[in-house]
């Protein structure tokens, strides 16, 4: 699901509505694994904007969920975005990164500094 109407480039694949599916099959339902590549010409389409020929659609899903995780989305928020019912699936996208580690360390330092002046 996508919270906004997709741009013109995706319009031929998308539904209308505030909670629209971004890619819709020939009969109006969600695209399935078995028909996705045929329906979207994905293999040829991904190389047009310069993506590598081995790029997979799931790479978009992974990136689209890793970035919110790195920005601080909770596991519950990631589960909602992805439509997952289990925490295990959502945790795949919550990679530990040195950038995120630095942000957390800075926030912890700020908390310690704020509380040390309260005594």
């Amino acid at each position: 699901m996508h919270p906004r109407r997709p741009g013109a480039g995706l319009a031929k694949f998308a539904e209308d509505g505030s909670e629209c599916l971004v890619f819709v099959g020939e009969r109006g339902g969600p695209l399935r694994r078995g028909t996705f590549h045929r329906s979207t010409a994905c293999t040829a389409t991904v190389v047009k904007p310069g993506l590598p020929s081995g790029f997979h659609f799931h790479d978009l899903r992974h990136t689209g969920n890793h970035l919110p995780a790195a920005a601080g989305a909770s596991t519950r928020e990631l589960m909602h975005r992805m439509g997952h019912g289990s925490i295990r699936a959502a945790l795949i996208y919550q990679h530990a990164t040195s950038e995120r580690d630095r942000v957390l360390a800075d926030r912890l330092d700020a908390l310690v500094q704020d509380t040390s002046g309260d005594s």
Side-chain angles (χ1 to χ4, degrees):
M1 298 290 221
H2 190 278
R4 292 185 287 281
R5 177 79 179 132
L10 294 176
K12 74 178 188 174
F13 298 110
E15 297 179 308
D16 288 323
S18 62
E19 293 274 332
C20 65
L21 291 172
V22 174
F23 292 101
V24 181
E26 294 171 5
R27 296 185 183 147
L31 288 172
R32 302 288 179 215
R33 182 180 304 216
T35 61
F36 178 80
H37 288 282
R38 179 178 46 84
S39 298
T40 63
C42 184
T43 304
T45 302
V46 298
V47 296
K48 288 178 186 175
L51 295 170
S53 62
F55 189 85
H56 297 94
F57 182 76
H58 195 268
D59 296 334
L60 293 174
R61 178 176 172 84
H62 190 84
T63 301
N65 290 297
H66 170 70
L67 293 175
S74 68
T75 302
R76 178 63 65 194
E77 290 166 328
L78 291 172
M79 289 172 63
H80 177 74
R81 286 178 60 86
M82 295 181 280
H84 286 160
S86 77
I87 291 173
R88 183 175 176 262
L91 290 176
I92 292 168
Y93 300 95
Q94 292 179 310
H95 305 287
T97 65
S98 57
E99 289 176 25
R100 185 75 180 139
D101 196 36
R102 179 79 259 155
V103 169
L104 294 171
D106 290 344
R107 287 183 183 170
L108 289 170
D109 185 54
L111 286 171
V112 170
Q113 296 300 321
D114 288 345
T115 59
S116 64
D118 290 340
S119 21

